Amino acid sequence: MNLEKLFGSKTKVDILKYLLFKRQGISMRALESEIERTFPAIKKQVDSLNESNVINVNKDWQWRSISIKPEFHDTLKNVFYFWLQNDIINLFTTYEVMIDQYYFGKKFNIDLEMDLVVIYKNCEKPQIDMIKENINEIFRKYFIEVVSVVFMNIEERQKRDRLADRFVIQIKKSLLKKA
């Protein structure tokens, strides 16, 4: 899936990501430095989003404040979370030899204390660090800076399952609610 093709522009996608996941009420000049695009490119896409009635541009005498209209906010956020989830799934597919299971959590509206739980096998510390960095890169692409990710090896998960560990039980409950 390609958000840029759907929304017609990488700049437009970055503006929406920024407004959804970082903050609203930002000026075009501030966006210029935050998403590292040129002012004309940002202005063009802001005008396009404004014409499509997706955003509000509050024009103050000193600056313009950009925000997503409330009636579109949750729907757009769900679309972008869907793509974020797919980006993570694609990452885990490349590491399927090392990743046994993974569970999405609270950032994805699933009743789990963590945002992401990764159960791994056949991994050494350098490989785990590489996967963690790739996960961080994906979240940073969406301007999400704080994310709670738990890595647990398969043996530890099985041991905690036998001991009826609260966290492992919570993972199982979240799967039942999802089904």
Side-chain angles (χ1 to χ4, degrees), residues 49-135:
L49 287 166
N50 193 28
E51 288 171 17
S52 64
N53 282 324
V54 173
I55 63 170
N56 286 320
V57 179
N58 297 325
K59 298 173 183 170
D60 193 335
W61 65 275
Q62 291 183 324
W63 64 300
R64 293 179 179 202
S65 169
I66 305 163
S67 59
I68 294 177
K69 288 190 173 188
E71 60 267 27
F72 291 109
H73 189 273
D74 288 343
T75 302
L76 281 173
K77 199 165 194 170
N78 288 337
V79 167
F80 279 83
Y81 266 121
F82 176 78
W83 264 289
L84 170 62
Q85 196 169 359
N86 276 299
D87 287 347
I88 293 169
I89 289 169
N90 289 335
L91 172 70
F92 290 157
T93 301
T94 45
Y95 293 112
E96 66 187 348
V97 174
M98 295 178 255
I99 308 267
D100 185 56
Q101 295 174 310
Y102 52 89
Y103 306 96
F104 293 100
K106 66 182 174 186
K107 280 229 190 291
F108 302 93
N109 291 324
I110 296 172
D111 188 24
L112 192 58
E113 288 176 23
M114 299 294 143
D115 297 320
L116 187 61
V117 178
V118 181
I119 311 298
Y120 64 89
K121 59 185 177 183
N122 306 327
C123 269
E124 299 297 323
K125 180 153 176 35
Q127 295 165 318
I128 293 170
D129 289 342
M130 182 178 59
I131 295 169
K132 285 179 183 178
E133 183 55 37
N134 289 336
I135 291 169

